[in-house]
Amino acid sequence: MTDTIQTTADTAADEATHDGVQAEEFLYLDPADIIIGINVRADLRPDHKEFRKSIKERGVLEAVTVYRNEDGQYVLLRGQRRTLTAAEVGTPTGLIPARVVPQPADADRIGDQMVENIHRAGMREAEIVAGVEQLALLGVSAAQIAKRTSIDRPTVNAALAVTKADQTRNRLDSGDLTLEEAAIFAEFEHDPEAVQRLENHKRWGRSLAHESQRLRDEAAERDADAAEVERLRAEGLPVLSAEEVAEADEVLRIERLVTEDGEPLPEEEWPNVPGARVNVVKEWVYPEDAHDEESEDGTDEQDDDYEPAEPHQQYMPVWVVTDLAASGLRRRGGGSGSTTTDSGDEGESEEEAEARREERRRVIANNKAWSSAETVRREWLTGFVARKTAPKGAEALICEAVVTGHHSLSKAMDHRHPMLFTLLGIDVPTGYYGAGHDECHKIATKASMPKAATMTTLTAVVAAWEATTGKHSWRNPTAWDARVLGALVEWGYQPSEVERILLGEEPQSSTEASDSAA
């Protein structure tokens, strides 16, 4: 039978209720008689010598929390390590203090247990995942889980992602992955090739965040390509899929071929060529620039706010053949006619042609890599600028930008810091004639203390630099690019391979990394 000691006040409170809510009690219970309830903590770490010695000599100093079940038994809610250790090594009185509370709902129990453990000795990440999973199964939303447990939302989202990927979860449980890494692997668990790429990056200490963003962007590009193929097929065109293009021995543009007589084939005849198909390719479009033409007042001066039109890619359906012999056509002048290469200069050697093609592939790959890196970098910057205090070395960067009047900062000031608003999550003011002045003034006056003012100024400097970056940055890196990115790296940012070009480092290609990993 459970031996208990109860104070007079607690005895009186036994029958008392307040507005229909059962009053709490304070008891001394035999730890062996307490039923160990379900707990989110799996690893109790009961072998801590100092902890065991303290309980044996001094007893349990902080009361555990229990509730009475329907049979009148005491069921443990919080204090599992204390209770189990006390039952094993004993206490001076043989009893431990216990606070008796009404039986909680399961969601409250799990949330309270996670709060208790996370903010004390630190639960293992696998235990956090288990607790988040239990709450989710009870119908608690991600937002409510974060609120109940005081876990930040990204960690909750990561835990939820891992619960849906068995292989990744096993790796987390074994300690092979951190929760942040596991969330990335879980996203791509269905794609062995993607997992291998991530594994190579992890093995060589390269950024998983950048590689995962590249995988997302590549998947989005494949989806867009497939959608365009389906759209054109719906119009009745015999379009090749990406897989069919990859498997073909050759894909030759009909416009670059000639008849047996050496004459180009009229465009209206292309669909009638035996085996003719359509290949969807992307071609760069360079918009006509209105500023290239004479202005209405007869001058050729440009506005201070002039921004050149950005070139972009668009889909182009191209008639091709994959079997030259069957088509009845032949190459013109011995050229390749490939859909993936330019025709090249007359008299160009094969080595020169291959070097040109390799350079073009490098440019395309690095441009795509830069776009992916930009997404990761700006997400990181959004978190970075939320800091309360500036990191070490911030003052020197600010001083250099202001004293030298760096053009990126001057331009940002002239345009009312649009990237600053973006990174701070504030709508960018639109319009002319001082638009954004009041908003900038609010940002400046809000930073009234020295530390806040320094951080806000640093944010403006970094945002100004970020606004000037683009695909041109890796091709023509400047000293200021290296200065700012180098500072960000010192402050915790992990650059991608293409960004390392700005730091003067030669990037390792994905192919080289894969070969090394093998």
Side-chain angles (χ1 to χ4, degrees), residues 427-464:
D427 291 338
V428 180
T430 58
Y432 300 95
Y433 307 110
H437 176 273
D438 292 342
E439 291 85 350
C440 288
H441 187 261
K442 290 178 182 177
I443 293 173
T445 55
K446 185 179 180 180
S448 57
M449 302 300 290
K451 289 183 178 180
T454 301
M455 188 63 213
T456 298
T457 310
L458 174 64
T459 299
V461 170
V462 172

Side-chain angles (χ1 to χ4, degrees), residues 104-161:
D106 282 346
D108 292 327
R109 171 184 61 79
I110 297 169
D112 290 345
Q113 288 173 348
M114 293 183 71
V115 168
E116 180 188 37
N117 286 294
I118 288 171
H119 305 296
R120 181 183 294 172
M123 297 174 70
R124 291 191 297 116
E125 290 181 321
E127 294 171 333
I128 294 176
V129 171
V132 168
E133 180 181 40
Q134 291 178 52
L135 288 171
L137 290 174
L138 291 170
V140 183
S141 67
Q144 284 299 313
I145 291 174
K147 183 176 181 181
R148 284 174 179 268
T149 62
S150 297
I151 303 175
D152 62 83
R153 184 63 181 273
T155 300
V156 171
N157 291 341
L160 290 172

Side-chain angles (χ1 to χ4, degrees), residues 77-88:
L77 280 174
R78 293 183 290 280
Q80 192 167 346
R81 290 179 70 222
R82 283 166 281 161
T83 302
L84 290 175
T85 304
E88 180 182 356

Side-chain angles (χ1 to χ4, degrees), residues 17-34:
T17 60
H18 299 280
D19 298 327
V21 178
Q22 180 184 337
E24 296 181 355
E25 304 171 54
F26 186 86
L27 308 175
Y28 284 88
L29 305 176
D30 184 339
D33 291 335
I34 298 176

Side-chain angles (χ1 to χ4, degrees), residues 284-301:
W284 283 99
V285 175
Y286 297 87
E288 292 185 5
D289 198 330
H291 286 83
D292 288 341
E293 301 175 1
E294 187 177 24
S295 60
E296 294 180 3
D297 60 3
T299 68
D300 58 358
E301 295 182 0

Side-chain angles (χ1 to χ4, degrees), residues 174-335:
S174 68
D176 184 41
L177 298 174
T178 66
L179 180 54
E180 182 180 2
E181 292 171 342
I184 292 175
F185 274 90
E187 181 181 350
F188 301 97
E189 186 168 294
H190 64 285
D191 186 344
E193 183 178 340
V195 170
Q196 186 58 55
R197 282 174 55 177
L198 292 171
E199 195 62 51
N200 291 340
H201 271 64
K202 181 178 184 299
R203 185 176 304 162
W204 293 98
R206 298 164 70 184
S207 172
L208 289 181
H210 283 292
E211 186 64 9
S212 61
Q213 186 59 47
R214 289 196 67 179
L215 287 168
R216 293 185 199 105
D217 291 344
E218 289 170 12
E221 184 176 22
R222 287 194 301 270
D223 290 344
D225 293 348
E228 180 65 11
V229 167
E230 291 304 315
R231 186 186 73 81
L232 293 176
R233 283 178 175 177
E235 294 180 359
L237 293 177
V239 184
L240 291 167
S241 67
E243 293 77 12
E244 289 172 324
V245 172
E247 292 172 359
D249 292 331
E250 55 184 2
V251 180
L252 307 175
R253 291 189 185 222
I254 295 179
E255 64 181 310
R256 295 176 182 170
L257 303 176
V258 294
T259 66
E260 289 298 327
D261 298 330
E263 297 295 326
L265 192 68
E267 184 173 346
E268 60 271 17
E269 294 295 324
W270 294 352
N272 300 325
V273 172
R277 303 288 296 276
V278 170
N279 185 28
V280 179
V281 300
K282 291 178 183 175
E283 294 188 351
W284 283 99
V285 175
Y286 297 87
E288 292 185 5
D289 198 330
H291 286 83
D292 288 341
E293 301 175 1
E294 187 177 24
S295 60
E296 294 180 3
D297 60 3
T299 68
D300 58 358
E301 295 182 0
Q302 293 180 347
D303 296 333
D304 291 338
D305 292 337
Y306 163 68
E307 291 286 350
E310 285 287 332
H312 60 276
Q313 285 184 305
Q314 71 178 26
Y315 290 108
M316 297 288 292
V318 177
W319 283 94
V320 299
V321 293
T322 57
D323 187 339
L324 186 60
S327 71
L329 302 174
R330 63 180 177 84
R331 289 180 172 85
R332 175 173 16 203

